[in-house]
Structure formats: C-alpha cells, structure tokens
Amino acid sequence: MSNAHRWMKLGAFLPPPGHHIAAWRHPEGRADGGLDFAHYLQLGQTAERGCFDFIFLSDGLGIRTHYRSEEELSHWGRIVNFEPITLLSALSAVTRNIGLTATASTTYNEPFHIARKFASLDFLSGGRAGWNIVTSVTDVEAQNFNLDRQPDHATRYRRAREFMQVVTGLWDSWEDDAFLYDKETGRYFDPSKLHILSHKCEFFSVRGPLNVARPPQGYPVLVQAGASDDGQDFAAQWAEVVFTAQQTLPQAKAFYASLKEQMAAYGRAPEQSVLMPGVFPVVARTQTEAEDIYKSLQDLIDPVVSLGLLETQLGNVDITKFPLDEPLPVLPKTEGSQSKQRLIWEQAQRKGLTLRQLAKEVAAGRGHRLVVGSPHTIADALEDWFINDAADGFNIMPPYLPGQLTAFVDLVIPELQRRGIFRSSYDGPTLRGNLGLPRPAHPRLRSHR
C-alpha cells in the first residue's frame, strides 16, 4: 500500500496510572489519578499537543479483577475511576481537537440511553465523540445487573447486533436539517423530517424518536475491539476503528487483510475502517534508559496480582492447578474474551514461557506488542507495521502516566513527523475528519441517491 497522503493514526489509551499492572506503584505514577480531573486534564492536553487522533477510555461495570480475597484485591491498582462518558463530557470543554472515545457495553445498557449519551457528547464536543462498543466479558459485571453469570458469547453478540440497529436508528430519528426554530411561523421542526423507529425484535422494543437531534458527525465514530470470529464479523459490519492485539508482523498483516476483506460482504470499502493495534511503548532518550524504566516496573510486580491478571486475561480460567514453572497447557474454551485467550496462549508457546514467566510478561502489555527503546527504535517499530499493511495506526498504551505519555509526545511524535508519516496539525474539527472517515448520510438521503 502506498504511503502517499496517508497519515498514521494514533489513539492515547489512558487508564488512570498507566497500563503496566504496577504503574500505580511507580514513583511517577498517579495512584489516585482515577478520580482526579486535574490528572485527566493534563493527559488530555498533552495528547492534544501531540496531535493524537483520540483519547481512548476503557471501562468495566464493576471491579473486574479476579481475586480470592479482599487482601489480594487490595494489592491491585486501577480499582476506582470515573464513568468515562461523564469524564469525556468534562474534557470536551477544555480540549479543542482531540477525539473523545468512551467504552460502553451493549450487554448491560439500553440502546436509548447509549444513543442519547453519545449524541450529547458529540454535540458538547463539536463532533469529536467515539463509542468503543463492547459486549462485556466477565461474570462480575453480570452480577451487578441481576444475573449470576454473563450471557453466553453467541447471545451477547446477537444482542449487540440488534443493539446497533436500534442505536443507529435512534440517531436517525431526525434529518440533519429537521429543526427550524422558526419563531415567526411557530414551527420548531419540519414534521416531514421526523422518523419514528418503531423497532420490535428479539431483545428490544423501542419506539423512539430520540430526544436529541442528529449528532454533528451523523453517528459518533464506532470503535470495536473483539477479534474472535463473532467479533471480526461484527467489526466488518459496524466498526470504523478496530482496536486489536497482535504480537508479530505476520499476525498483524493476516488480521489486517482478513478484516478488510470481510468488510466487502457488508458493502463496505477497506478505507471505511481504520485498524489500530495496541502498542505498549517504553520510551526514553536512549535504549539503556528505556530498559532501566522497564526493569524498574517489572521489579514492582506483585506475583499474586500478576497471576490474578493472567487468569482474567485468559477468560477467568483457574490456573492454580497448573505448575508455575511449566508451560501453559491447552486451555478450555472461555465465555470471556476468546481472542485474548488465544493471543496469550500463542505468545506463551512462541516464546517458550513458563506460567510464572508468562504472568510477568502479561503484566506489562496484557498481550499487546511491547517495544522498549529510544525514539528512533519506537518509530521504526511503528513505521514497519504501518508501511507493510499491518496497521493504519496504533492505540498507544503508556506504561505509567503522565510521564510516559509526555515522553512519547516529546520524543516519538517529532520523529514520526520528521519521517512524514504523522501530522503536525489537525485536519479539521471532527474526529471523523481527522480519521479520514466519511460522515454517514441520513437513510432517507441514501435511499434517494
């Protein structure tokens, strides 16, 4: 693929203290950052200074860690944090260009609520909202919503597909120019441009219309991160940004080509979706400094926490029955994240890691690609995948915050700009515009073309 006029896309994935499981224990990590707006204000403005396309906030509807006692749980970081749409609504007032992407579950929300909240965020931000669509993958979340266990994988995805039909239908309740606000005639809107959804199917009965006008972007940008067979098919139909996880260039190239091909079955062109693997970069001015930072983080890992995290990442498979100093055996199928389980199992086999070694490695990037080095080393790693049809960009996962985000902006961004593969200013005021994604026309206009 030619690189002419093609900018690398970058997301800033910002959990409160950082991505490393021991980030909250690092001398420069903000252990209390999850409930400190000033911390997020600094992060948002730093990412915007670096011309990142968007801020990306993950979310779970409960304490998602796998633990056997409150004592074990007390050793984890990232236990409490703001609800992401609320946080991004506040950040919309103190940022100008950067996109604002929040995670929200199709399993434990109602379509009307999600449609209204993201439409509101899109208006508040002037067209910078993005929705990371998840189906949720833990029983602990289900237990906060009147269930003992989560629905099975297939049911969650069936509900998600119908959820998307309802949400997009609600965003299309009004045509773009429906509201007249005509004081002389007394007509607040043109009734011919109101469309009642009247949806009734397996999971939802929703009449509509939405009590927010059509969002500035038409729809907020739709983001999705599942890589199971169901997840890929869902992404091929709906996703405009795909957050994915691969460890090697061949893996990434295969996923990239496969998903772009699958989009054709839904009448979508390859450029209608941006693929952005996660990358965990440890950056410093020199290779030695970067390796020292990584080692200092690894030395802070609590073994109890790393093993608990590994169980969670493997889909809550009980690993206590496996010897710690032997390879990870073949695992049973999970109702959690099937793609993450497969990715980590393959990582262990490829590197010949024991269970103990795997737990420590997963504690860093959670199965995402780890790159440690100087600005030149990090830029080489990103450019390699970008120019070889393995990625359209990357979701950057700083090890600890704010220090490693600042280092990336100050050291790596200028190197990417020098190579002519990353912007030096924003292309426009909307997230869609900066990502190069089209604004969806209202269905009534599509049908008249």
Side-chain angles (χ1 to χ4, degrees):
M1 181 181 293
S2 170
N3 251 353
H5 308 294
R6 179 173 174 246
W7 294 121
M8 181 184 292
K9 309 303 180 187
L10 291 178
F13 190 170
L14 304 177
H19 276 275
H20 196 282
I21 195 63
W24 71 278
R25 300 182 65 192
H26 190 278
E28 298 177 32
R30 283 295 310 277
D32 62 348
L35 297 176
D36 185 351
F37 180 70
H39 175 60
Y40 269 102
L41 172 60
Q42 178 186 1
L43 297 178
Q45 292 180 339
T46 298
E48 189 165 63
R49 176 167 64 82
C51 293
F52 275 79
D53 289 88
F54 55 80
I55 294 165
F56 182 95
L57 299 182
S58 60
D59 192 45
L61 297 169
I63 305 297
R64 296 180 62 179
T65 53
H66 187 82
Y67 63 94
R68 293 176 182 81
S69 71
E70 283 70 21
E71 176 59 31
E72 179 183 330
L73 180 62
S74 73
H75 289 254
W76 286 74
R78 279 204 300 264
I79 296 296
V80 291
N81 52 268
F82 291 119
E83 188 283 317
I85 300 177
T86 306
L87 173 57
L88 292 182
S89 295
L91 286 175
S92 71
V94 291
T95 55
R96 292 175 56 89
N97 297 104
I98 196 164
L100 305 169
T101 301
T103 297
S105 172
T106 59
T107 305
Y108 305 117
N109 281 293
E110 289 294 320
F112 195 95
H113 286 142
I114 292 298
R116 190 183 190 201
K117 289 175 181 179
F118 278 99
S120 298
L121 178 60
D122 210 40
F123 273 103
L124 287 168
S125 63
R128 294 185 283 136
W131 172 24
N132 179 40
I133 307 154
V134 299
T135 63
S136 297
V137 293
T138 64
D139 290 337
V140 295
E141 292 171 282
Q143 289 158 13
N144 289 330
F145 293 89
N146 304 306
L147 298 171
D148 293 326
R149 299 184 62 83
Q150 63 179 324
D152 64 67
H153 186 87
T155 300
R156 296 200 309 272
Y157 270 98
R158 213 165 61 247
R159 176 186 167 100
R161 291 178 187 283
E162 187 180 340
F163 199 106
M164 296 306 299
Q165 294 172 8
V166 178
V167 168
T168 54
L170 288 169
W171 284 331
D172 289 327
S173 294
W174 310 90
E175 294 182 35
D176 291 314
D177 58 351
F179 290 92
L180 306 173
Y181 306 118
D182 191 328
K183 296 183 179 181
E184 287 190 16
T185 65
R187 294 181 88 206
Y188 194 77
F189 69 89
D190 181 343
S192 70
K193 297 185 177 185
L194 164 64
H195 303 277
I196 306 297
L197 180 61
S198 297
H199 175 96
K200 192 173 184 63
C201 201
E202 180 182 3
F203 295 98
F204 304 109
S205 177
V206 181
R207 183 177 184 274
L210 191 65
N211 54 349
V212 182
R214 197 161 192 260
Q217 295 185 100
Y219 303 160
V221 172
L222 303 176
V223 185
Q224 193 262 355
S228 65
D229 291 343
D230 282 333
Q232 288 186 52
D233 187 66
F234 184 91
Q237 181 178 6
W238 292 104
E240 297 171 301
V241 173
V242 179
F243 175 36
T244 182
Q246 283 88 38
Q247 290 277 334
T248 69
L249 179 61
Q251 286 177 342
K253 285 173 64 71
F255 183 87
Y256 186 96
S258 174
L259 190 60
K260 297 281 186 175
E261 183 178 344
Q262 289 177 65
M263 291 171 62
Y266 291 99
R268 301 179 67 204
E271 61 270 17
Q272 288 181 276
S273 189
V274 177
L275 270 64
M276 301 177 68
V279 174
F280 180 93
V282 184
V283 60
R285 293 189 181 278
T286 68
Q287 185 73 31
T288 299
E289 287 180 71
E291 290 173 356
D292 287 345
I293 291 171
Y294 182 61
K295 182 179 184 303
S296 71
L297 285 164
Q298 292 296 90
D299 288 345
L300 292 172
I301 294 173
D302 185 324
V304 172
V305 173
S306 63
L307 287 167
L309 173 65
L310 180 59
E311 285 199 345
T312 301
Q313 296 291 298
L314 292 174
N316 293 326
V317 172
D318 183 6
I319 62 175
T320 59
K321 57 190 177 185
F322 304 140
L324 288 178
D325 294 310
E326 293 184 12
L328 185 66
V330 176
L331 299 173
K333 186 175 181 180
T334 177
E335 287 297 343
S337 175
Q338 296 177 2
S339 58
K340 181 61 71 70
Q341 184 193 71
R342 181 172 64 247
L343 177 78
I344 292 174
W345 188 85
E346 290 174 352
Q347 177 183 352
Q349 303 308 304
R350 186 175 64 254
K351 295 186 176 183
L353 301 175
T354 67
L355 191 58
R356 191 190 308 275
Q357 292 168 332
L358 179 63
K360 197 163 184 179
E361 186 160 317
V362 167
R366 288 171 175 75
H368 290 277
R369 185 186 182 198
L370 166 68
V371 186
V372 181
S374 66
H376 192 273
T377 299
I378 304 295
D380 279 350
L382 300 184
E383 185 177 23
D384 183 35
W385 283 26
F386 179 64
I387 67 175
N388 284 297
D389 295 340
D392 297 308
F394 303 92
N395 215 1
I396 301 300
M397 305 166 64
Y400 66 84
L401 296 167
Q404 279 288 290
L405 177 65
T406 301
F408 191 94
V409 168
D410 290 344
L411 300 176
V412 180
I413 293 292
E415 178 62 20
L416 296 173
Q417 292 168 335
R418 186 188 68 76
R419 298 179 187 207
I421 55 176
F422 188 68
R423 67 163 71 88
S424 57
S425 62
Y426 286 98
D427 299 325
T430 71
L431 178 55
R432 285 186 174 279
N434 288 313
L435 289 172
L437 295 170
R439 183 182 188 276
H442 192 280
R444 184 174 181 181
L445 297 179
R446 291 176 223 159
S447 64
H448 289 171
R449 287 178 178 174

